[in-house]
Amino acid sequence: RKLTYNSLPALIVVLTDTGVLVTVIARHFLKPVPALVQATLRIAREETDVATPFQERRDEIGDMATAIETLREAVLERGRLRQIRDMAQQLEHMAHHDALTGLPNRVLLMKTLENRLEQLSASGQPFNVMLLDLDRFKAVNDTLGHAAGDALLVAVASRISSVLGENDMVSRLGGDEFAIIQSTNGDCESDAAMLAARVVHAVSRSFGLEGSDISIDTSIGIACAPGHGTSATQLLQHADLGLYRAKSMGCGYFVFYEAGMDMAAQHKHALEIDMKSALENHEFELHYQPVVNLQSGRIVAYEGLARCRHSKL
């Protein structure tokens, strides 16, 4: 009993010292653990802006911190790569789509035409190309401003898209010009006529812009592949000739390309060149044609006429 009483204080001191020592050691080794857990959770949330602590230690804690930092750098690099990928996708979309309407642009139109022509060569799958031009669009821009004109273009793009077939594509070429590639399985001209009629009807319905009802129309030129061309450039040129003929007829017409339209266009182009040259060379002459009162025989007015002395015509 005496030995017990004498040993008890010593035992308490030993246990206390041991507890303190264990606590100090535990704090030394376990104190970094919550910080490392938080660092891991931040990485899980993709918060990679804070470096992992305790990497300088030369024990298991340091090894764990180094491993977590390696993970953080990997996640950070993956985020950079994802940003680069997203930026590349955005740039590619911008390169192939119109910024205002979101429709494919001329670049994507030409690529799609080339692909359709390859399919045509391989499987004989015909298609149609349509060029559209809005009638009276300039008047909207001049009277209501460019903001209203842009809103009108967006609305027109939406209406055209709503009447297309599942495999058709509409693109904006610039200004108030649009193009359509129409897939067809049967009679190309019949399918084109039905789609063109739907487009004309859709565009001709009035638009509500800035509290006003605006009415416009569209003219359409149509070329059918392969009958009207076997290259993208040729099909667009022939559709453009049909569009020129449609606009000369008035508003809201669609016209198919026909052989001989290019001759008329070439003649018009040559005549325009001749007129420009005649203006530069002062070959135009002014003539006055009298208007006579048949009862009195007196000249009451003159009609001013411009005449060109052409070398051949």
Side-chain angles (χ1 to χ4, degrees):
R1 186 178 300 129
K2 185 177 180 180
L3 177 62
T4 301
Y5 288 150
N6 291 335
S7 301
L8 186 59
L11 181 61
I12 293 173
V13 171
V14 170
L15 291 176
T16 302
D17 292 343
T18 302
V20 171
L21 180 61
V22 169
T23 302
V24 171
I25 294 174
R27 285 184 177 180
H28 177 73
F29 284 101
L30 299 180
K31 181 180 179 180
V33 172
L36 295 179
V37 170
Q38 291 299 319
T40 307
L41 292 175
R42 284 197 300 270
I43 294 174
R45 295 193 299 267
E46 297 190 358
E47 299 174 2
T48 56
D49 53 335
V50 179
T52 306
F54 306 111
Q55 297 182 64
E56 69 282 355
R57 294 183 53 154
R58 295 294 180 264
D59 54 10
E60 289 80 359
I61 295 295
D63 294 340
M64 183 182 297
T66 302
I68 294 174
E69 178 64 16
T70 302
L71 176 62
R72 184 187 76 87
E73 292 176 351
V75 172
L76 184 62
E77 182 64 22
R78 187 185 67 181
R80 292 196 190 99
L81 292 175
R82 186 166 58 234
Q83 288 179 352
I84 294 173
R85 181 199 63 194
D86 294 343
M87 186 178 297
Q89 291 177 347
Q90 182 180 3
L91 290 175
E92 176 160 355
H93 184 273
M94 292 172 60
H96 292 90
H97 291 80
D98 174 53
L100 177 63
T101 63
L103 294 178
N105 60 12
R106 185 183 293 271
V107 175
L108 186 53
L109 173 72
M110 296 303 293
K111 287 185 177 182
T112 306
L113 278 176
E114 295 294 343
N115 291 336
R116 290 295 183 92
L117 288 168
E118 291 178 1
Q119 295 175 9
L120 177 63
S121 300
S123 60
Q125 184 69 36
F127 62 92
N128 299 320
V129 177
M130 304 182 185
L131 288 184
L132 293 72
D133 186 270
L134 302 183
D135 303 319
R136 300 190 301 277
F137 176 75
K138 186 177 183 299
V140 176
N141 261 345
D142 292 342
T143 56
L144 299 181
H146 291 284
D150 289 346
L152 179 59
L153 289 173
V154 173
V156 168
S158 176
R159 286 195 184 179
I160 294 175
S161 299
S162 67
V163 300
L164 297 182
E166 181 179 357
N167 297 319
D168 300 340
M169 186 187 84
V170 56
S171 65
R172 183 188 176 210
L173 304 183
D176 61 340
E177 296 180 327
F178 295 84
I180 295 174
I181 299 177
Q182 181 193 21
S183 300
T184 177
N185 295 317
D187 186 349
C188 291
E189 293 197 3
S190 176
D191 291 344
M194 288 189 291
L195 176 57
R198 292 200 302 268
V199 171
V200 169
H201 176 70
V203 175
S204 65
R205 301 197 325 265
S206 62
F207 296 84
L209 292 177
E210 298 187 357
S212 303
D213 288 335
I214 298 174
S215 295
I216 60 171
D217 288 297
T218 183
S219 301
I220 306 176
I222 306 171
C224 305
H228 296 157
T230 55
S231 71
T233 302
Q234 192 176 37
L235 288 169
L236 288 174
Q237 287 177 342
H238 289 171
D240 192 41
L241 291 171
L243 174 60
Y244 176 78
R245 177 70 61 84
K247 291 186 73 68
S248 68
M249 296 169 60
C251 299
Y253 288 93
F254 60 88
V255 174
F256 287 87
Y257 167 78
E258 295 178 357
M261 283 184 176
D262 50 349
M263 296 296 295
Q266 291 174 10
H267 174 71
K268 177 179 179 294
H269 180 63
L271 187 59
E272 289 174 350
I273 294 176
D274 287 346
M275 290 178 65
K276 182 177 180 181
S277 176
L279 284 170
E280 293 174 350
N281 298 326
H282 305 287
E283 294 176 358
F284 276 97
E285 297 177 352
L286 180 60
H287 293 263
Y288 290 103
Q289 178 167 291
V291 178
V292 180
N293 186 322
L294 295 181
Q295 292 181 348
S296 64
R298 298 178 60 185
I299 296 174
V300 295
Y302 291 92
E303 181 182 2
L305 303 173
R307 292 288 183 254
C308 175
R309 294 186 176 272
H310 196 280
S311 60
K312 295 180 180 179
L313 301 181

